[in-house]
Amino acid sequence: MKKIKYPPKPHFFISIGLSAMLIVTLSKCQKDFEIERKNLKQDATSEVMTLKYEVETLTIPILQNPDEANSQEKIQAMMFSDKSKVEMTLFKDGTTRWQMETVLPSHDLSVQHLTPAGKEPKAKFTRIDRKGMGSFYDENEVLLYTHQVPVPSFADVVANLKENPNAIFAAMGIDTKANLNQILANAKAKGYTIQDLGNGMISVRMANSGIRATATRQSGSTDSNTIVNIFNTSLGIMIGSTLYNEQEEIISQAFYSYELNGQERLVPKAFYMQNWDIDPVTREKTKTETHTFFENVSVTLNQL
Amino acid sequence: MKKRIFIILILFVFVLINQFEIRAQADRTPVYVHGLGGTQAGWANWQMLFTAERQMTAGSNRLYVSENGVVNFANQVRTFAPPNNNSIIFGHSTGGVVARHIERTPNIVVPFGGIITAGAPLDGARISNNLANGQTANFILNGVDKVLKGPVRQFGPLQGALYQVNNHLFKSLAQLYVNRILNNSQGGATSTDLAEGSAYINNGMRGQASAIPKIHIYGNENSPVLWRIASVASTWADGELVNVTQVAYDVCMAAKNTHIGLAALNPFLAIQYFQVADGWSISGNWIKSGSESGWNDLIGASIPSSITTFSQVMDYDQFTQCMSAYAGTQATYAQYMQCQEQSTFTVSYTSYSPINGRSDGFIKAPSQTGFNSAWSNNATRIEALGVNHLEMRNHVEMRRIYNLIFNGQAGANAFFNTPPRN
């Protein structure tokens, strides 16, 4: 047994919004990842697929008038980056199990501070079970604490796969032309607006007040969004997306880029997104760029 | 003649030694001065220990009205401090500035022979400036906004009771945080006096050299300073908020990764999930680093710096134009890759990225040591590592430092030697 780092203690944190996230339980229990792998195999009958990838995110808030900004405004606009190795297992009931490892991002934005570093161990590994309970481990795989993680439901993904098992290859908007046509036919059947933009490009407009509710399995939200996706039909790929709010204002816009893997198949490479928000102090519109880079994407699909 | 001079010298040395022993053996009568908004409880722990362990009387440890300006504060202290050149005045935070003020007041008999300050804003307290100009309030407002970015994007705008609970709970706790840490120092003449560049700070006193023995103890708290001092302010266990915020950061980043995974498998809704993931990332990064950078800026412990990184971005207009050449045909992946490559550029991004400097979580280290004060030129400066402004009342490191001082170690002036009780 490895040494226990923390005694069990409940914590309450005010700031994350939902009370479920506020309770911190530090557990004495310690498991390594080998045991989890055995459990994973025992549950194999209900597994749908396993998705592995490395993802790095670079977030760049854009200052509109950097020369006029004061130091607090500049700090609000600091860049940040992180990178993780992720392995996700999807089950038939839409639940998921996750393993994550934090690694050094290639966009290293770390600063050598003069403030002495805290001595508390940092989480390097995260494991989330099918009930959404996250366990966080340090670099020696010693359990630091457990806490509920607001994992979204993947039930829609499972439902789509039941309809069309090949839809898994639509991950990140990549598909064969034949499958894309099938997906577009399904979209039309659901009432989405499809428009030919010329030059082999089409747009699919999804005006759906329930998008957010469906996406998060939450009810009660009155937020109504519209998504417009742009496809290149000759390649069978998604080019970009735009997200509008109820007032038809753009709140997010994104473009995709891909690369060819060893099997001459396009796989996701990067996702460039711009977000517009309202500054809580000045009430002016602010813009943030987020660059999300993928590496080593692989999918293992089981029979449904 | 030589023999007579020698005898006189011997006698002189003997008298000096004798005087020193008398001084060292006589119980000191210390004067303890709390900080702005504090009470005599701030020094009660040390008063009890020093009285029990050192040749020191209980001295004077009183509750003063601290909000009516440094001059008013100092006048009160003088009233209860009879002249005694063997006495040490201990000043925590504003109490240290009060000690300097008394020592520099013209035409009075200084009622003590040495000064020990702990966490004193000798060159001013930047937080007072930022309280007055609204930057502290903006910091809280921005913090609330960023922390809720992930939850709001995932679960929608907070409605009804949930909104009320979150909004009021967070804001009231944030206000509590400010009030406790700032010791109710918002407004008030003393807070105005302590602002950097104020008329009081620039009144010339700190620019005057003085021979009185003095020691400046400065707190150098570990990162993240604001959550550590908030733990103490909230009467939580030491560092408990650090653990809480660390968990919060990890949960935010885990939530972010799960939404990226969902985006990858659900292309029609991908942008929605990426936007939620981005929200969790903003929440987590504010909790982890943005909050500390912002707080250090508010207290003046931030050193301006910037950082540059490079990223590959695509010009989608150019890409679309390139791909239009293959319209109406079954374009190949190779053609796609060629267009993508032609439209991809390396762009440099530079952002402000300040260095977090040394502080006790409330006053930057240079101000605690009188870095810009000629008055502090002869001071012994002692670092209290891992001690924040509020912990100076009872931290074990402070006890170690006081023992060094009373034992004549750590480079302290011999004036402060105070032998243990037999």
Side-chain angles (χ1 to χ4, degrees):
Chain A
M1 287 290 289
K2 291 177 181 174
K3 284 186 179 176
I4 298 152
K5 292 282 179 174
Y6 283 109
K9 269 188 173 182
H11 295 283
F12 295 91
F13 185 55
I14 57 172
S15 56
I16 301 301
L18 291 178
S19 58
M21 287 190 63
L22 310 186
I23 302 168
V24 178
T25 305
L26 304 180
S27 169
K28 285 183 175 180
C29 300
Q30 179 230 320
K31 292 176 181 175
D32 60 35
F33 293 108
E34 287 306 310
I35 294 169
E36 266 329 290
R37 288 185 188 284
K38 285 176 186 170
N39 289 339
L40 193 93
K41 285 174 184 170
Q42 285 166 3
D43 289 338
T45 52
S46 60
E47 285 179 20
V48 176
M49 61 168 291
T50 302
L51 172 67
K52 293 181 184 178
Y53 55 90
E54 292 175 33
V55 60
E56 175 164 349
T57 306
L58 171 65
T59 305
I60 310 155
I62 307 296
L63 263 176
Q64 294 305 316
N65 300 302
D67 294 337
E68 296 172 16
N70 63 38
S71 54
Q72 279 290 315
E73 290 165 338
K74 288 178 183 173
I75 285 168
Q76 296 302 323
M78 289 196 306
M79 293 189 292
F80 46 88
S81 66
D82 63 86
K83 184 175 183 179
S84 297
K85 290 181 180 176
V86 180
E87 180 177 336
M88 183 273 282
T89 305
L90 173 63
F91 295 86
K92 282 181 180 175
D93 60 358
T95 59
T96 47
R97 187 158 57 203
W98 300 80
Q99 291 181 21
M100 303 169 192
E101 178 186 353
T102 305
V103 294
L104 191 67
S106 59
H107 299 90
D108 184 9
L109 302 176
S110 57
V111 174
Q112 194 67 38
H113 294 293
L114 297 178
T115 309
K119 296 177 176 61
E120 292 81 4
K122 302 282 188 291
K124 181 170 177 61
F125 300 101
T126 301
R127 185 177 62 77
I128 307 171
D129 67 19
R130 293 171 66 179
K131 292 179 179 174
M133 181 57 71
S135 300
F136 301 89
Y137 303 81
D138 70 6
E139 60 185 356
N140 299 314
E141 298 184 17
V142 174
L143 181 65
L144 300 177
Y145 33 74
T146 61
H147 194 282
Q148 196 70 27
V149 177
V151 179
S153 169
F154 282 62
D156 288 350
V157 174
V158 176
N160 287 339
L161 287 173
K162 279 179 180 169
E163 279 179 26
N164 175 16
N166 287 331
I168 192 60
F169 297 113
M172 283 293 294
I174 308 159
D175 213 329
T176 62
K177 188 177 179 182
N179 279 326
L180 180 63
N181 288 336
Q182 177 67 43
I183 290 167
L184 294 176
N186 289 342
K188 205 166 190 175
K190 288 177 182 174
Y192 300 156
T193 307
I194 300 174
Q195 190 177 354
D196 189 344
L197 304 176
N199 288 338
M201 310 283 271
I202 60 161
S203 70
V204 179
R205 183 182 183 86
M206 304 159 65
N208 186 346
S209 62
I211 287 175
R212 188 188 291 277
T214 304
T216 60
R217 294 284 168 220
Q218 296 296 308
S219 58
S221 169
T222 59
D223 201 24
S224 176
N225 290 327
T226 301
I227 295 175
V228 176
N229 292 314
I230 311 289
F231 292 88
N232 183 310
T233 53
S234 63
L235 283 168
I237 60 171
M238 187 185 283
I239 298 294
S241 305
T242 306
L243 182 66
Y244 297 89
N245 65 11
E246 284 174 307
Q247 289 75 42
E248 284 291 310
E249 297 167 322
I250 296 177
I251 53 177
S252 288
Q253 192 162 45
F255 299 101
Y256 300 79
S257 80
Y258 304 92
E259 64 186 357
L260 278 174
N261 68 8
Q263 287 78 45
E264 290 298 303
R265 173 174 286 281
L266 285 182
V267 291
K269 180 184 177 188
F271 184 88
Y272 299 102
M273 185 167 66
Q274 296 177 334
N275 278 310
W276 286 268
D277 242 317
I278 300 296
D279 186 288
V281 175
T282 63
R283 309 307 301 168
E284 290 176 1
K285 201 171 255 189
T286 61
K287 180 178 155 187
T288 303
E289 285 185 20
T290 303
H291 302 176
T292 305
F293 302 97
F294 292 90
E295 289 177 81
N296 302 320
V297 180
S298 69
V299 177
T300 306
L301 186 64
N302 287 343
Q303 292 282 334
L304 274 170
Chain B
M1 183 63 182
K2 281 184 180 174
K3 190 178 179 184
R4 191 174 293 172
I5 290 171
F6 180 73
I7 289 170
I8 289 169
L9 273 175
I10 290 292
L11 281 172
F12 181 68
V13 169
F14 177 77
V15 168
L16 268 183
I17 291 170
N18 202 32
Q19 282 293 315
F20 178 76
E21 282 180 350
I22 288 169
R23 171 182 285 183
Q25 286 171 1
D27 277 4
R28 292 182 184 278
T29 52
V31 178
Y32 299 99
V33 186
H34 59 73
L36 176 57
T39 70
Q40 64 270 52
W43 281 106
N45 176 54
W46 302 125
Q47 180 188 29
M48 185 183 68
L49 274 172
F50 297 165
T51 308
E53 296 179 352
R54 298 283 166 174
Q55 292 179 15
M56 218 181 263
T57 68
S60 168
N61 182 17
R62 307 182 67 88
L63 173 64
Y64 302 104
V65 177
S66 58
E67 289 82 14
N68 297 336
V70 174
V71 176
N72 179 286
F73 197 164
N75 287 339
Q76 294 173 64
V77 174
R78 275 181 55 207
T79 306
F80 296 103
N84 181 346
N85 63 6
N86 191 33
S87 174
I88 300 172
I89 186 167
F90 293 84
H92 175 235
S93 192
T94 305
V97 179
V98 165
R100 179 177 65 190
H101 185 92
I102 295 171
E103 195 270 331
R104 286 290 89 199
T105 302
N107 307 318
I108 65 160
V109 178
V110 176
F112 42 79
I115 298 172
I116 295 178
T117 67
L122 298 167
D123 293 332
R126 181 81 60 87
I127 190 71
S128 292
N129 303 65
N130 286 319
L131 275 167
N133 65 23
Q135 289 293 355
T136 304
N138 289 346
F139 169 76
I140 292 170
L141 204 56
N142 272 310
V144 173
D145 182 67
K146 287 192 188 299
V147 167
L148 292 180
K149 199 71 85 182
V152 166
R153 285 189 184 175
Q154 179 168 355
F155 301 107
L158 303 178
Q159 302 287 317
L162 189 59
Y163 172 80
Q164 296 295 330
V165 167
N166 276 279
N167 197 40
H168 291 289
L169 180 67
F170 191 97
K171 281 188 177 170
S172 60
L173 282 169
Q175 200 58 49
L176 175 73
Y177 172 86
V178 170
N179 286 346
R180 288 276 184 87
I181 289 183
L182 305 182
N183 293 329
N184 299 311
S185 62
Q186 295 189 74
T190 307
S191 183
T192 305
D193 282 351
L194 294 178
E196 288 184 1
S198 73
Y200 176 78
I201 287 293
N202 287 340
N203 67 4
M205 281 188 172
R206 70 189 177 102
Q208 300 167 9
S210 109
I212 194 168
K214 54 184 83 88
I215 293 170
H216 299 324
I217 303 170
Y218 65 99
N220 186 13
E221 179 58 296
N222 297 325
S223 174
V225 295
L226 82 161
W227 299 120
R228 290 186 196 281
I229 200 168
S231 292
V232 182
S234 307
T235 64
W236 289 13
D238 182 25
E240 194 160 357
L241 262 179
V242 177
N243 295 333
V244 171
T245 52
Q246 190 170 312
V247 173
Y249 168 75
D250 290 331
V251 168
C252 286
M253 301 315 277
K256 173 204 159 190
N257 280 333
T258 62
H259 281 86
I260 288 177
L262 182 54
L265 293 178
N266 203 335
F268 275 88
L269 296 175
I271 190 169
Q272 175 93 45
Y273 298 128
F274 271 118
Q275 202 227 11
V276 176
D278 186 61
W280 283 112
S281 182
I282 291 171
S283 298
N285 277 287
W286 187 86
I287 291 167
K288 183 188 179 188
S289 55
S291 56
E292 187 170 20
S293 295
W295 180 253
N296 275 312
D297 180 66
L298 289 177
I299 65 173
S302 186
I303 300 162
S305 171
S306 63
I307 196 160
T308 297
T309 192
F310 299 90
S311 185
Q312 297 269 309
V313 296
M314 274 181 73
D315 181 330
Y316 274 84
D317 289 337
Q318 188 173 329
F319 171 73
T320 304
Q321 195 176 354
C322 178
M323 287 300 293
S324 67
Y326 308 112
T329 66
Q330 182 67 56
T332 64
Y333 286 163
Q335 289 164 339
Y336 166 83
M337 292 305 297
Q338 187 184 357
C339 282
Q340 184 173 271
E341 197 172 314
Q342 285 176 8
S343 313
T344 300
F345 303 94
T346 300
V347 176
S348 73
Y349 294 91
T350 299
S351 88
Y352 193 60
S353 186
I355 296 164
N356 296 326
R358 298 180 183 89
S359 79
D360 65 0
F362 195 46
I363 308 293
K364 63 183 177 184
S367 185
Q368 295 179 66
T369 60
F371 182 76
N372 288 316
S373 300
W375 181 79
S376 298
N377 281 351
N378 70 329
T380 302
R381 296 168 168 100
I382 303 176
E383 179 188 47
L385 188 61
V387 180
N388 68 48
H389 196 74
L390 299 180
E391 288 175 330
M392 288 178 170
R393 296 177 294 202
N394 51 18
H395 198 285
V396 65
E397 173 66 2
M398 294 298 287
R399 180 170 190 179
R400 189 186 71 84
I401 290 170
Y402 286 127
N403 279 333
L404 289 176
I405 292 170
F406 296 143
N407 291 339
Q409 297 167 309
N413 189 301
F415 169 83
F416 296 100
N417 290 4
T418 308
R421 291 202 180 280
N422 295 323

